[in-house]
Structures are given as structure tokens and as C-alpha cells.
Amino acid sequence: MTDTTAELQEAEPTPEQVRRGRRTALLLFAIGFGPMIFATIMYYTGWLHPETRSNHGELIQPAVPVAELHLLDGDGTPLESRFGPQLQEPKWLLIVTARTCGADCEELLYLSRQVNIALGKHANRVGRAAWLGEVPPALQQRWGTDYRSMERLQVAPGTTPSWPPQADPADAPGILVVDPFGNVMMHYDNGHTGKEMLEDLKHLMKLSQIG
């Protein structure tokens, strides 16, 4: 056996070293992402503490991937691209939805804005957007002053959004909550108060270690 061959064999990891490396990688992943995944599962399912979960909004079960809404942001980029644990600072997102934005829809626009402000130091962890099929001229004129921080979303050409059954904007306007993983997981309507929504968001962000 030549010296070169011996050196190559010594440089190649043994099967045991490969297995040990994989175990180390899995352990590092579990340490980094395990707690936030575990907390998310616990909240959505009530597992281990079902009696302590007191959300006011309507949980969407199973959660709907935001990609199924086929929405584009103001730059024409698919909305799902801004979510996921691979991003440095993914945010929660509140989406006001309405087929026609009348008085009840504008109440939700106002509600989402006020709740976002009321989060105080955590306000930057939550974004706001709206998908509105029709906007009255009066609201369109006021948009730049009253809702300039709220992003307008559009449906991708040639697609149809798969709205959660209990949150179809064709039935009534509502607010969808998208978590930092890109799951549409909660819904509010005009029957919910700002206080209820604020309590839910604070609790969700307390549990989450991402976003």
C-alpha cells in the first residue's frame, strides 16, 4: 500500500463517524427549531394543556398553507416567499379579506390597525395586508392617509384562492392570521373585539420563538 493510498483511507470518515455526524446534526436542529415547533403544535392542538387554551378567534383546522391562497404582494412576489424558519425574521401577518369592502370591512381594517399599534414593542413582529375584491371610491381616496401602512394583495393571474371554508370573503369580510411558518391558522370576523384579538396575538407571540 502506498503512502498516498493510506492517507486517502485515513481521510475518509468511517461509517461510525458518519453516523455520529448525522446524530450531531439532528441534535443541533432539535435544539434550534424543536422548541418553536413543539410550542406551535401545542397551541394549535391543545395537546397536554387543552384546558388552558382560551383563544377567542376561530382556529382553522387543519391550518391552510398561505400558498393555497395564491396571493401576490405589492411587488408581484408570491406571498408565501416571506414565511418559513429559513428566513432571518419572518413575521406574523394579518390579512383583511372582503369581496366588497363596505362598512363592516372597513371596521376590520381599522381593528387590525389598532390591534397592531396596541402590541407596542412587539408591533414590528406583525405585518398587515388586505385582499379586497372591490373598494368604494371614497375608501380608495382615503387609503393613502388612513391605511398607508397596510399592503394591498392581489390574486395571481389564472388562479383561484382556496380560502378556508369558514373564512371565505364571499360570505363575509374577515381577518386571517398567518403564522411565521406560512400557515393560515386563525380567523376573526365582526363579532370579535379588538381586545380579544390582542389577547390572542400576545399569547401566540409569547409561545412562538420565531417571528
Side-chain angles (χ1 to χ4, degrees):
M1 180 182 297
T2 65
D3 292 341
T4 301
T5 302
E7 290 174 358
L8 288 174
Q9 289 180 341
E10 290 177 359
E12 293 179 356
T14 65
E16 177 57 32
Q17 288 174 324
V18 171
R19 288 192 292 270
R20 189 182 304 119
R22 289 174 179 170
R23 288 196 297 268
T24 301
L26 288 172
L27 179 61
L28 291 174
F29 179 86
I31 293 173
F33 294 102
M36 64 185 178
I37 295 173
F38 186 69
T40 301
I41 293 172
M42 284 181 61
Y43 186 82
Y44 291 169
T45 65
W47 181 46
L48 297 183
H49 297 283
E51 72 283 355
T52 63
R53 195 184 69 197
S54 57
N55 52 282
H56 303 287
E58 181 182 6
L59 281 175
I60 295 174
Q61 296 180 321
V64 175
V66 72
E68 294 188 10
L69 302 187
H70 302 294
L71 296 176
L72 306 178
D73 65 17
D75 296 326
T77 303
L79 190 60
E80 60 267 24
S81 66
R82 64 177 64 180
F83 299 98
Q86 76 281 2
L87 301 180
Q88 185 173 1
E89 292 183 347
K91 293 185 177 183
W92 296 81
L93 183 65
L94 306 178
I95 306 178
V96 178
T97 63
R99 182 70 66 186
T100 301
C101 195
D104 49 357
C105 162
E106 189 162 0
E107 286 180 8
L108 295 179
L109 292 173
Y110 176 80
L111 178 66
S112 65
R113 184 184 67 185
Q114 297 306 108
V115 167
N116 196 187
I117 293 172
L119 287 169
K121 66 180 181 180
H122 297 296
N124 63 350
R125 297 175 62 187
V126 180
R128 288 182 290 124
W131 177 83
L132 309 175
E134 297 180 15
V135 180
L139 175 58
Q140 190 68 48
Q141 291 176 0
R142 292 186 287 105
W143 193 274
T145 54
D146 293 356
Y147 303 106
R148 61 182 180 274
S149 297
M150 178 170 280
E151 187 175 14
R152 294 283 292 275
L153 306 175
Q154 301 294 329
V155 176
T159 67
T160 301
S162 297
W163 303 106
Q166 67 270 53
D168 191 330
D171 299 328
I175 298 176
L176 298 175
V177 179
V178 186
D179 71 17
F181 291 101
N183 300 306
V184 183
M185 45 74 62
M186 194 171 287
H187 172 251
Y188 297 88
D189 56 27
N190 288 94
H192 294 96
T193 67
K195 181 180 179 181
E196 291 173 339
M197 190 171 175
L198 182 62
E199 288 179 354
D200 281 354
L201 285 174
K202 284 183 175 180
H203 187 50
L204 284 167
M205 288 190 290
K206 183 179 179 181
L207 284 175
S208 174
Q209 296 186 29
I210 179 174

